[in-house]
Amino acid sequence: MVRRIGELAEAARSMGIQVVHATFQTTAHGRSPRSNVPLFAATERHTAEWVAGSAPVQVVSELGIGPDDLVMPRHHGVSPTQGTELLPLLRTIGAETLVVTTGVSLNIAIPSVVVDAVNEGFRVIVPTDAVAGTPLE
């Protein structure tokens, strides 16, 4: 999956399409309001040190970061769109279609992004060979 996402990102860059990396990081000392969701509560001890600049919050090397890519960190929730500036920013730069390729999982974060984006008037594509979920089936 990561290799396919990297290929999609490189293809987008070669066509002048904006690539956005929506990352997650906690606030200092893990104070992000995340314990209200069982997924977050289960992972809280592993993600407490996911602070700005730390290795776990960096875009994975297989995707690379192009000179025009945007890296948009957030500090809450499973969706990089809910309550963030991501969709307004994309609208400002003229985006009409979003290709959503990765997230916590195909059955948690990606549906949230899709619903948020569609509700805001974007067309959304989810390439089935560049996503994953848990459980696998």
Side-chain angles (χ1 to χ4, degrees):
M1 175 192 86
V2 173
R3 180 183 56 77
R4 289 293 299 142
I5 295 168
E7 292 168 354
L8 284 170
E10 189 53 43
R13 290 180 194 111
S14 72
M15 295 185 291
I17 297 171
Q18 182 66 64
V19 174
V20 178
H21 306 276
T23 62
F24 175 84
Q25 58 193 22
T26 64
T27 57
H29 309 291
R31 291 183 295 201
S32 294
R34 304 170 331 140
S35 59
N36 63 322
V37 177
L39 171 67
F40 292 154
T43 61
E44 193 163 24
R45 70 182 175 97
H46 301 289
T47 60
E49 296 305 317
W50 286 17
V51 296
S54 68
V57 303
Q58 303 305 308
V59 174
V60 295
S61 61
E62 294 90 346
L63 302 184
I65 299 177
D68 296 323
D69 289 8
L70 297 175
V71 179
M72 308 278 302
R74 74 179 187 290
H75 303 281
H76 64 86
V78 296
S79 172
T81 52
Q82 182 65 39
T84 72
E85 62 185 347
L86 180 56
L87 293 179
L89 177 82
L90 292 173
R91 185 177 321 287
T92 298
I93 65 172
E96 297 176 355
T97 302
L98 307 183
V99 178
V100 179
T101 59
T102 190
V104 172
S105 71
L106 183 57
N107 52 328
I108 298 174
I110 293 174
S112 181
V113 171
V114 170
V115 169
D116 290 345
V118 167
N119 285 343
E120 291 295 323
F122 291 94
R123 288 186 298 265
V124 179
I125 298 167
V126 179
T128 58
D129 62 342
V131 292
T134 300
L136 185 58
E137 59 277 353

